[in-house]
Amino acid sequence: MSRTRTAILASMALVAGATGAAVATAPAAIAAIPCTVAYTVQNQWSTGFTAAVTVTNNSAAKSSWAVKWSYAGNQQVTSGWNAKITQSGTAVTAANETYNGTLATGGSVSFGFNGSYSGTNALPTTFTLDGVTCNVDGGTDPTTPPGPGTGTRVDNPYAGAKVYVNPEWSAKAAAETGGSRISSQPTGVWLDRIAAINGVNGGMGLRAHLDAALQQKGTGELVVQLVIYDLPGRDCAALASNGELGPTEIDKYKTQYIDPIAAILADTKYAGLRIVTTVEIDSLPNLITNTGSRVTATPACDVMKANGNYVKGVGYALNKLGDVPNVYNYVDAGHHGWIGWDDNFGPSADLFKQAATAEGATVNDVHGFISNTANYSALKENNFTINDTVAGKSVRESKWVDWNRYTDELSFAQAFRNQLVTVGFPSTIGMLIDTSRNGWGGTARPTGPGATTTVDTYVDGGRYDRRFQTGNWCNQSGAGLGERPKAAPATGIDAYVWMKPPGESDGSSSAIANDEGKGFDRMCDPTYTGNPRNNNNMSGALPNAPVSGHWFSAQFQQLMTNAYPAL
């Protein structure tokens, strides 16, 4: 039950879209009104609330803006999004971000925040836009929180459900030329450090995302995609994605990272959401391919194999998160150009089984696996198959395939799912494939097989994936957006997803100081000539890239240009 304040200007009521912004034009009869503000308490519980604010500007166009109001009680803003929000006593100021400062005449902008309170949570009564008092346009103040859902897991969480659109990513995408074509697509929310749980630099934290998801959910089902990514000694073979925790800090990982996440996800307020987790990308596969006597081994990976903290960390995460009835854990399974070789395929499945039964976890805590996370492997190569023979040689003998058993992600994911069931995972597990950057369209996309002169001309002339080598992973030049997210697209596949948000960098092209624990990896340097892990090929990376996870406009534009299917 809720009490609703009567709108002063009902004809001006705005409904914010998935991106958190709405645009309306003021009718001529009320054009003299300088501005209108709608303040809505979307969710409220005993100690906190989530609010959304939409401001409409009916005066001259603005290149920057600031909205101010005061509380009558002890409300405190704790985190916000789409605005820089500060508070002094009861007075609150919300100023534009760099990407949404433009506010046209008749235009609107929306932002939101989480807050705390005790006693009553009265609505503010007066708002100003750049010092000018605005009219108040409706608003709601729930007195009870929304009821919990059933929490019953379904076979495929994506079936019949919408998927959460991250408003922070959506705003960045929409701010790019042409970006509005994809800004409403769902992407993963990356919890890549402890601070991300509560929000970094004023950004949305986990609760803020879940609260926003409740609003997007409406009366139907909705999936929220989270990337759990902060293992001790994280990603021992790729410096660009190193993390904040040292190799031995397993206890800190458990108590300061996984436990707080699990506690938030277990809040009954969120029981009606379907929460999909991608658990710890890249690290477990490194224990197979980059340890021991292999030419691709690294000392850091040997350390992590010896101390067992990757296995312990993944097991602990699966156990704790798997206890939440509406959480669906998907473990990262690398990609075909990593795990698809005979020496890696079976041992990887065995290792994943070991991790899934460590630290109190069981295979039933695993709902499925995800391949190609944040990678570029083509979904389906149509111009050649692994069984083709050219000039007396198998396609497996080509330099590109290099004796791999698989030529693309779809065939690998389906086969690896079968292998995982063979080693003891439930037959109900499903696969996800990250298609955010594996479209490889544009003018360079082949329209048929290559010349049959040699097996290499045949494969190289026909392959969609234009990387120098399948081991190349950083900001790949020529890549494009892949298949749009969709549920149940193929046998054994729960969904194609955009777990890696397009436009977020894989790593910096040169060393950049940062406080995120992220190093400089030469595989992100376009001048780098390679190492044994990519058969000493050029890196294929784009120049002028920022630190991993930061916005990379040039890459975003290229991904749209080379999208397949085309935008």
Side-chain angles (χ1 to χ4, degrees), residues 163-166 169 182-188 225 485 497-499:
V163 186
Y164 174 61
V165 178
N166 179 346
W169 175 83
I182 64 167
S183 59
S184 61
Q185 291 291 351
T187 54
Q225 302 174 128
V497 298
W498 283 9
M499 202 60 70

Side-chain angles (χ1 to χ4, degrees), residues 336-338 340-342 381 384-388 394-408 455-456 458-460 463 465 467-471 535:
H336 92 274
W338 190 355
W341 280 273
D342 295 341
E381 293 283 9
F384 58 93
T385 75
I386 203 69
N387 299 314
D388 291 350
S394 165
V395 158
R396 292 190 67 200
E397 297 180 69
S398 68
K399 291 179 181 177
W400 172 254
V401 178
D402 193 26
W403 295 102
N404 201 304
R405 287 281 180 190
Y406 304 95
T407 60
D408 52 41
V455 70
D456 287 322
Y458 178 69
V459 170
D460 289 341
R463 60 182 168 95
D465 189 335
R467 288 177 293 174
F468 290 115
Q469 208 266 345
T470 56
N535 285 342

Side-chain angles (χ1 to χ4, degrees), residues 259-276:
D259 287 354
I261 291 173
I264 292 171
L265 299 187
D267 189 332
T268 56
K269 177 184 178 184
Y270 306 123
L273 298 171
R274 297 177 181 179
I275 301 171
V276 164

Side-chain angles (χ1 to χ4, degrees), residues 73-143:
N74 61 358
Q75 296 97 325
Q76 290 290 319
V77 175
T78 56
S79 64
W81 49 95
N82 288 347
K84 297 174 182 174
I85 305 178
T86 56
Q87 184 168 356
S88 176
T90 60
V92 180
T93 299
N96 63 277
E97 295 281 8
T98 56
Y99 55 80
N100 63 355
T102 300
L103 189 52
T105 301
S108 299
V109 66
S110 297
F111 56 91
F113 58 91
N114 288 329
S116 64
Y117 78 101
S118 62
T120 60
N121 183 22
L123 296 169
T125 58
T126 302
F127 297 85
T128 64
L129 173 62
D130 295 338
V132 177
T133 301
C134 301
N135 277 26
V136 179
D137 186 17
T140 59
D141 181 8
T143 57

Side-chain angles (χ1 to χ4, degrees), residues 16 20 37-40 42 51-55 67 69 94 109-113 127:
V37 171
Y39 177 108
T40 303
Q42 299 177 310
V53 180
T54 297
V55 57
V67 179
W69 69 91
V109 66
S110 297
F111 56 91
F113 58 91
F127 297 85

Side-chain angles (χ1 to χ4, degrees), residues 237 471-476 508 520-526 528 530-531 533-534 537-541:
N472 288 1
W473 53 269
C474 194
N475 301 325
Q476 291 299 285
S508 58
F520 167 54
D521 196 301
R522 289 297 306 280
M523 287 297 293
C524 300
D525 176 357
Y528 187 47
N531 57 47
R533 289 192 296 282
N534 81 330
N537 282 278
M538 295 293 292
S539 70

